[in-house]
Amino acid sequence: PPERQIVVGICAMTKKSKSKPMTQILERLCKFEYITVVIMGEDVILNEPVENWPSCDCLISFHSKGFPLDKAVAYAKLCKPFLINDLDMQYYIQDRREVYRILQEEGIDLPRYAVLNRDPDRPEECNLVEGEDHVEVNGAVFPKPFVEKPVSAEDHNVYIYYPTSAGGGSQRLFRKIGSRSSVYSPESSVRKTGSYIYEEFMPTDGTDVKVYTVGPDYAHAEARKSPALDGKVERDSEGKEIRYPVMLTAMEKLVARKVCVAFKQTVCGFDLLRANGHSFVCDVNGFSFVKNSMKYYDDCAKILGNIIMRELAPQFHIPWSIPTEAEDIPIVPTTSGTMMELRCVIAVIRHGDRTPKQKMKMEVKHPRFFELFEKYDGYKTGKLKLKKPEQLQEVLDIARQLVVELGTHSDSEIEERKSKLEQLKSVLEMYGHFSGINRKVQLTYQPHGHPKAASEDEEARQESSPSLLLVLKWGGELTPAGRVQAEELGRAFRCMYPGGQGDYAGFPGCGLLRLHSTYRHDLKIYASDEGRVQMTAAAFAKGLLALEGELTPILVQMVKSANMNGLLDSDSDSLSSCQHRVKARLHEIMQKDAEFCEEDYGKLAPTGSASLLNSMTFIQNPVEVCNQVFTLIENLTSQIRKRLEDPKSADLQLYHSETLELMLQRWTKLERDFRMKNGRYDISKIPDIYDCIKYDVQHNCALKLEGTAELFKLSKALADVIIPQEYGINKEEKLEIAIGYCLPLIKKIQLDLQRTHEDESVNKLHPLYSRGVLSPGRHVRTRLYFTSESHVHSLLSIFRYGGLLDENKDQQWKRAMDYLSAISELNYMTQIVIMLYEDNNKDPSSEERFHVELHFSPGVKGCEEDRNVPTGFGFRPASAENEDKKADQGSLEDLSKEKSSDEPDRAQQKSPQLSEPVSIQRRSPLIRNRKTGSMEVLSESSSKSGGYRLFSTYSRQSSEMKQSGLGT
């Protein structure tokens, strides 16, 4: 029989059959000598009986909105064409329950899930119990965050519910409308009508992977920003959603094969979530093409043509042998010249500006408190922490009841209890809602009541009845200013990465943002479990990755809580014996009512730190300064009381919804606690006094209270002695205390640096697509650790006193140490950054293979216009402005010879770069870019408003490098 053409019929809605990808692919398919394509018109499909449809040998047909799948099935029965995508299975793909059932039968990983069927005939499948932070579906418990999906795959209204600890509410996903794919909602309750799948939320790094198969052996994958992150769709210059091709791992290729075969869909799209080192399938969409990829169009047409020919050529007597192709060889350009490649960025960052931390203690004996203690298993350990909104509500209910009961009595002891209960009530009523992050109540069981002073006799103590010590902690929240600081620093931090210079690297698709979306940026963000630290991390991530919208979704997806093994948290209640010894010595020295003498300088500042000596010189007599501070506090509280009596300021709102009453409570408590009954001063209250006055000078200056500037100056001088010395007075103590706080973190940082060149299993970018992304093999590992002051102090102590380098032999290290010694305070957003570079042209065992840099900035600038703030040397001091300075010790060229891989202490050392503090108060305009070498550099603005001298580029032509900074 003569050869004849194979007719391929396309049966789909016009929107699909005439789409750009379909047109591109069919044009290529027609290049097969024996294949002819026939597109069935929508009018025919909808209105003609199947007997009148054009006949074909091979059918590409798929369901979309409005498509009559029943007719397509009838047509296939009638004409028996070879089906590219099975039609019966397309009924299943429209029901998420069936999709999940099939995936499960195939042994494909998917999120843990349960189905809630609101079907009157099957009441046993409709058991829903909703708690504040979880749901229980037919017995399966899903703690928030969890996902709620309608059972119909055509319904794209998928909701994600967030835990109260992250701010609650939900993210509502929908089919893309313009530039949005989701919106945040304060609604925390699940939907009460319709049937849904509930599943655990997978912590990806904020990207989704879309996989497109063409037959079981081909899968194209691309990443896009997860719609759950901020709901803003990233679009390119043509208005298309930005996606980046990625490489699938061997396991993921196997999953693609299984999905393709199980659903009998040759052309099949599905979604992967990469989380915790695993890949989970969360959606199967059936027939779908990649958009805007010429290589995919070529591949797809070629594979489809080969599948059709292999199946039909024999019966049509067409001579045909399947062409075999040499495996595409992935060619990855190497780094040329001596340009070094950034491999790893590690930053340890203190949280942003916060409200003053406060606490109140009271002894309680009311039965209702004991009932509460028992209800939450307090007797097991004798201690109880209450943080959840419903728990705090119970405490508030008890406080309200007792305030009413006590209202009728009046004697002095009850008055004191009443004022404490009033305070408990007013703190718990702040903001009008519990956002879970900002208040906690601790209850401790006291079998013999409150421990009495030793002078009272033992028997009296034995006889007193049991009580609970209630400690209320509040405050210490990230302020709106703190959020701005973190987001700004995140934005500026992009400039640490190659191609990230210029206008805060604001242009999309460049440098870090491009790196991140292409999976070649291995980013993890860790935060201790304190609310302020978590929110700082989320705000920083928002700036770093150019996200929009609320912090809650970002916090849930991007920030890992690292309260495991004390990585970033410390149990502040339990001090080490060394810290107790240090505190006792500090108290002793600071109680001396005389001017500091030579011996005192030796006792208090054995390290010879410049900032410490300056403060001691300023203080002269510590008790005298404490007297002045106490008088100023008394003066301040009396001014606030006067304001309270003035009807004009009755409803005065202070910063961050504080009231004058609460401000007064803050200061009277310090007034009470600072001077003890014996007339001596409690030195441990100095950091709190400085904390409060710093806050009020910065945020409540509109009150125009007198004496605040003086109080600020004096308490800062005292705090600049007390705070750093609480972490150890001499070098040995500083190291011992630092190791107590930082050992887990130091070990983790060492691992981060070492793993960079071992870890090849990380998601690689597809080399054939990476034209336009420089050096596709490049992997940058970024680890950001957000923590509190104690960890930053400790880590810096380890760098300073851990013997990395000898300042007598290394000029650059000496300059660095002098700078650190001049810094008086590690303020909010203090950063310690470690950058590891690799030179791929050097032998792996060579000392010149790796190069490590340390960068440091003491955080935001203080309120005072301090002329004495020490300035750093900019980003890379070696590459100085003038040629003649190149001879200076420690130029970049010399430094590069000091790299090492086999001597770890030398490898973690070179070029500690120092920088000015970052000022968030004043903005200076960002200047246009100018080119330097092959990289862009941001020129520093002439208004020297204090900028990040930290960030700039790395150009090995040191003579060409301008010392540049970034004015903020």
Side-chain angles (χ1 to χ4, degrees):
E3 305 156 358
R4 76 166 177 83
Q5 289 286 309
I6 295 170
V7 177
V8 177
I10 311 298
C11 172
M13 303 301 275
T14 302
K15 192 178 170 191
K16 301 289 179 187
S17 59
K18 292 282 169 68
S19 69
K20 184 183 166 191
M22 182 68 94
T23 308
Q24 294 273 349
I25 288 162
L26 294 181
E27 274 173 11
R28 290 164 171 78
L29 195 56
C30 291
K31 296 203 171 117
F32 278 81
E33 193 182 337
Y34 296 100
I35 289 179
T36 304
V37 174
V38 172
I39 299 177
M40 303 184 192
E42 191 172 297
D43 187 42
V44 172
I45 297 169
L46 294 176
N47 304 321
E48 294 284 336
V50 294
E51 291 77 10
N52 299 355
W53 290 13
S55 67
C56 64
D57 309 300
C58 167
L59 181 65
I60 298 178
S61 177
F62 53 94
H63 178 267
S64 65
K65 198 174 173 191
F67 181 77
L69 187 54
D70 298 350
K71 285 175 85 175
V73 170
Y75 172 78
K77 278 208 180 93
L78 182 72
C79 297
K80 300 192 173 45
F82 167 53
L83 294 177
I84 291 293
N85 278 33
D86 184 89
L87 290 166
D88 291 317
M89 289 300 287
Q90 294 184 28
Y91 289 108
Y92 290 140
I93 291 175
Q94 292 173 54
D95 186 330
R96 288 195 170 98
R97 292 168 292 199
E98 294 297 327
V99 169
Y100 273 25
R101 176 183 61 77
I102 293 166
L103 290 171
Q104 222 162 5
E105 284 169 5
E106 292 298 320
I108 292 167
D109 281 346
L110 66 165
R112 182 175 71 86
Y113 76 99
V115 179
L116 183 77
N117 278 320
R118 285 201 171 95
D119 178 345
D121 303 332
R122 290 143 77 186
E124 74 283 357
E125 292 179 18
C126 186
N127 294 317
L128 174 79
V129 181
E130 186 171 14
E132 173 151 56
D133 264 333
H134 72 278
V135 286
E136 193 179 313
V137 181
N138 303 327
V141 175
F142 294 90
K144 291 181 182 178
F146 60 76
V147 184
E148 177 188 62
K149 297 177 171 176
V151 292
S152 160
E154 299 298 295
D155 184 343
H156 293 274
N157 295 292
V158 172
Y159 291 7
I160 299 168
Y161 295 88
Y162 298 122
T164 47
S165 62
S170 53
Q171 194 80 10
R172 306 188 162 188
L173 282 57
F174 42 76
R175 258 251 139 97
K176 289 195 292 274
I177 302 172
S179 68
R180 295 217 70 79
S181 59
S182 78
V183 62
Y184 176 77
S185 153
E187 181 54 64
S188 293
S189 298
V190 298
R191 288 174 277 190
K192 299 297 185 287
T193 54
S195 296
Y196 300 95
I197 288 180
Y198 289 89
E199 64 183 57
E200 63 180 335
F201 175 83
M202 289 299 181
T204 65
D205 61 358
T207 44
D208 282 1
V209 181
K210 297 216 153 287
V211 184
Y212 299 86
T213 68
V214 186
D217 300 313
Y218 179 93
H220 169 101
E222 47 187 39
R224 61 150 189 195
K225 188 168 78 179
S226 162
L229 204 52
D230 61 358
K232 174 96 170 33
V233 179
E234 293 182 303
R235 297 191 180 276
D236 61 16
S237 53
E238 294 174 21
K240 304 275 188 319
E241 182 176 22
I242 295 180
R243 296 186 175 185
Y244 301 92
V246 293
M247 300 277 271
L248 292 176
T249 63
M251 280 301 291
E252 288 168 337
K253 286 175 182 161
L254 186 64
V255 168
R257 183 186 188 92
K258 280 182 172 176
V259 169
C260 177
V261 173
F263 289 90
K264 300 183 188 161
Q265 307 291 300
T266 302
V267 177
C268 188
F270 67 92
D271 294 2
L272 269 184
L273 298 174
R274 284 174 168 173
N276 307 327
H278 282 277
S279 300
F280 301 87
V281 176
C282 64
D283 199 5
V284 177
N285 305 312
F287 193 100
S288 84
F289 283 143
V290 177
K291 298 161 188 67
N292 308 309
S293 166
M294 291 303 165
K295 180 179 185 303
Y296 171 81
Y297 297 152
D298 292 344
D299 291 348
C300 183
K302 193 164 65 183
I303 293 164
L304 283 177
N306 287 342
I307 289 173
I308 294 165
M309 295 303 288
R310 187 174 57 208
E311 180 69 28
L312 299 176
Q315 68 193 65
F316 284 78
H317 303 283
I318 297 168
W320 171 258
S321 63
I322 295 169
T324 57
E325 273 198 37
E327 267 298 318
D328 289 339
I329 302 157
I331 298 163
V332 183
T334 57
T335 50
S336 54
T338 51
M339 285 297 290
M340 295 189 82
E341 192 174 321
L342 177 63
R343 294 307 309 268
C344 185
V345 176
I346 295 166
V348 179
I349 302 172
R350 188 183 169 199
H351 59 75
D353 179 65
R354 59 163 168 74
T355 60
K357 285 198 284 192
Q358 297 178 78
K359 73 171 167 195
M360 178 199 77
K361 293 182 179 177
M362 63 188 289
E363 189 182 19
V364 294
K365 293 188 174 183
H366 196 282
R368 284 195 62 184
F369 282 115
F370 281 103
E371 284 162 23
L372 187 67
F373 193 67
E374 189 172 355
K375 177 178 176 182
Y376 293 110
D377 278 346
Y379 289 108
K380 265 190 193 160
T381 57
K383 278 187 179 163
L384 186 58
K385 266 189 188 172
L386 304 173
K387 279 176 90 166
K388 293 198 168 122
E390 70 268 26
Q391 296 173 328
L392 294 175
Q393 185 63 52
E394 288 174 76
V395 178
L396 177 56
D397 292 343
I398 298 173
R400 283 174 173 160
Q401 178 199 342
L402 295 187
V403 166
V404 173
E405 283 176 17
L406 287 176
T408 51
H409 306 279
S410 61
D411 70 52
S412 62
E413 195 176 318
I414 284 182
E415 277 306 311
E416 186 184 354
R417 279 184 51 210
K418 202 163 123 187
S419 79
K420 289 209 159 177
L421 280 167
E422 291 275 10
Q423 181 164 16
L424 176 63
K425 178 172 160 295
S426 68
V427 169
L428 289 174
E429 285 172 343
M430 265 159 47
Y431 316 113
H433 65 93
F434 294 115
S435 61
I437 273 176
N438 48 22
R439 279 159 289 191
K440 61 176 174 226
V441 170
Q442 285 164 310
L443 291 170
T444 310
Y445 183 67
Q446 303 180 134
H448 304 296
H450 197 58
K452 299 281 188 293
S455 58
E456 303 188 24
D457 59 15
E458 264 307 293
E459 282 109 64
R461 241 202 99 191
Q462 293 297 330
E463 286 165 22
S464 58
S465 58
S467 68
L468 293 169
L469 176 67
L470 183 150
V471 180
L472 170 69
K473 293 185 175 179
W474 73 100
E477 287 173 74
L478 192 66
T479 61
R483 286 184 179 208
V484 171
Q485 289 165 359
E487 201 178 321
E488 289 273 302
L489 183 62
R491 214 169 289 147
F493 201 81
R494 291 182 215 163
C495 304
M496 297 294 266
Y497 295 82
Q501 289 67 36
D503 186 16
Y504 267 24
F507 32 90
C510 194
L512 170 81
L513 297 179
R514 184 80 189 271
L515 193 72
H516 187 68
S517 301
T518 50
Y519 268 126
R520 290 182 325 173
H521 183 210
D522 171 16
L523 168 71
K524 286 200 171 66
I525 301 174
Y526 295 94
S528 69
D529 66 356
E530 287 175 322
R532 57 178 166 277
V533 180
Q534 299 232 317
M535 282 303 177
T536 299
F540 185 96
K542 182 178 174 177
L544 183 71
L545 300 174
L547 303 172
E548 296 190 5
E550 301 286 328
L551 291 186
T552 298
I554 299 171
L555 176 61
V556 173
Q557 297 216 35
M558 306 288 300
V559 180
K560 297 184 179 2
S561 215
N563 45 355
M564 53 246 197
N565 66 31
L567 187 65
L568 300 168
D569 295 84
S570 47
D571 193 356
S572 53
D573 299 340
S574 53
L575 296 177
S576 69
S577 57
C578 181
Q579 280 171 291
H580 281 299
R581 288 200 308 275
V582 165
K583 282 201 163 175
R585 286 213 328 274
L586 265 178
H587 275 242
E588 184 197 340
I589 301 169
M590 298 298 284
Q591 296 291 1
K592 191 176 147 185
D593 192 358
E595 294 205 358
F596 286 131
C597 61
E598 238 0 83
E599 190 192 348
D600 296 325
Y601 280 94
K603 273 188 193 168
L604 195 52
T607 57
S609 153
S611 63
L612 205 58
L613 298 173
N614 288 342
S615 294
M616 288 178 71
T617 312
F618 175 81
I619 291 167
Q620 293 185 332
N621 177 332
V623 174
E624 189 40 55
V625 173
C626 286
N627 281 329
Q628 292 173 19
V629 165
F630 185 71
T631 309
L632 285 163
I633 294 175
E634 286 184 313
N635 175 15
L636 186 63
T637 51
S638 75
Q639 289 184 66
I640 301 171
R641 280 195 189 90
K642 280 205 186 80
R643 285 290 171 90
L644 271 168
E645 289 159 17
D646 177 1
K648 280 209 291 288
S649 48
D651 300 326
L652 201 61
Q653 274 281 308
L654 306 184
Y655 185 69
H656 203 46
S657 71
E658 195 182 29
T659 60
L660 270 174
E661 237 120 11
L662 286 166
M663 183 186 187
L664 181 61
Q665 282 172 3
R666 206 159 32 92
W667 282 107
T668 42
K669 188 171 184 324
L670 285 171
E671 184 180 7
R672 266 202 315 274
D673 299 347
F674 184 41
R675 187 192 267 170
M676 298 179 287
K677 294 209 166 80
N678 59 12
R680 299 176 73 178
Y681 289 105
D682 180 352
I683 300 301
S684 65
K685 292 287 174 266
I686 284 169
D688 301 348
I689 294 171
Y690 174 56
D691 198 30
C692 272
I693 191 63
K694 178 166 134 184
Y695 180 81
D696 286 330
V697 165
Q698 189 169 354
H699 296 300
N700 290 322
C701 50
L703 289 175
K704 298 199 169 56
L705 296 164
E706 284 166 28
T708 50
E710 185 65 10
L711 179 53
F712 178 84
K713 199 165 77 183
L714 295 173
S715 59
K716 176 168 170 56
L718 290 169
D720 288 347
V721 173
I722 304 282
I723 293 172
Q725 298 313 75
E726 279 185 344
Y727 297 98
I729 294 176
N730 58 40
K731 287 185 185 179
E732 293 69 34
E733 290 164 344
K734 282 184 187 291
L735 275 175
E736 187 183 326
I737 289 172
I739 284 166
Y741 278 109
C742 267
L743 194 60
L745 181 59
I746 284 280
K747 286 183 168 165
K748 177 82 169 68
I749 289 174
Q750 270 189 312
L751 272 178
D752 292 337
L753 286 164
Q754 285 157 5
R755 281 200 193 131
T756 305
H757 42 282
E758 296 161 7
D759 194 7
E760 289 308 311
S761 67
V762 180
N763 316 308
K764 282 283 175 78
L765 186 74
H766 198 300
L768 291 174
Y769 289 94
S770 30
R771 296 185 284 263
V773 177
L774 294 159
S775 70
R778 180 194 293 149
H779 247 85
V780 180
R781 171 188 294 265
T782 299
R783 294 289 178 270
L784 304 173
Y785 298 100
F786 289 86
T787 183
S788 49
E789 193 175 23
S790 54
H791 274 66
V792 180
H793 270 284
S794 304
L795 191 57
L796 216 49
S797 289
I798 289 173
F799 282 153
R800 285 171 81 170
Y801 306 116
L804 282 179
L805 286 164
D806 182 348
E807 55 185 89
N808 298 321
K809 295 183 183 155
D810 189 308
Q811 277 295 302
Q812 194 187 15
W813 188 253
K814 183 176 183 338
R815 284 202 303 248
M817 293 302 102
D818 289 348
Y819 175 70
L820 288 182
S821 152
I823 294 288
S824 65
E825 177 180 7
L826 301 181
N827 212 331
Y828 302 126
M829 304 308 302
T830 290
Q831 318 117 55
I832 299 167
V833 183
I834 304 169
M835 300 179 82
L836 171 71
Y837 294 85
E838 183 173 7
D839 186 342
N840 292 319
N841 297 326
K842 295 282 187 285
D843 187 283
S845 61
S846 152
E847 289 213 349
E848 299 190 351
R849 177 87 183 191
F850 291 98
H851 165 89
V852 170
E853 294 175 354
L854 297 176
H855 302 262
F856 164 76
S857 159
V860 299
K861 281 203 168 159
C863 333
E864 81 285 23
E865 286 293 318
D866 193 346
R867 290 281 153 261
N868 310 327
V869 172
T871 53
F873 316 109
F875 186 57
R876 288 198 169 73
S879 49
E881 294 275 345
N882 307 331
E883 274 294 311
D884 55 11
K885 288 196 190 149
K886 242 182 103 173
D888 191 352
Q889 314 86 333
S891 85
L892 252 190
E893 300 303 327
D894 302 339
L895 272 186
S896 60
K897 299 191 183 80
E898 303 264 1
K899 298 170 308 226
S900 143
S901 55
D902 54 350
E903 302 176 348
D905 59 341
R906 296 298 294 269
Q908 294 179 24
Q909 50 136 16
K910 265 310 191 176
S911 59
Q913 309 299 345
L914 300 159
S915 41
E916 289 179 1
V918 29
S919 152
I920 299 293
Q921 278 79 14
R922 305 175 298 267
R923 298 290 302 268
S924 70
L926 286 159
I927 317 302
R928 61 187 171 73
N929 303 327
R930 59 175 203 285
K931 285 274 170 72
T932 299
S934 59
M935 294 204 173
E936 296 196 59
V937 177
L938 186 78
S939 58
E940 192 170 1
S941 62
S942 52
S943 63
K944 289 275 193 209
S945 71
Y948 291 100
R949 306 299 299 265
L950 185 51
F951 304 125
S952 156
T953 44
Y954 182 23
S955 167
R956 295 300 300 275
Q957 296 106 324
S958 36
S959 57
E960 276 190 73
M961 270 290 291
K962 291 274 189 262
Q963 181 168 325
S964 71
L966 180 56
T968 17

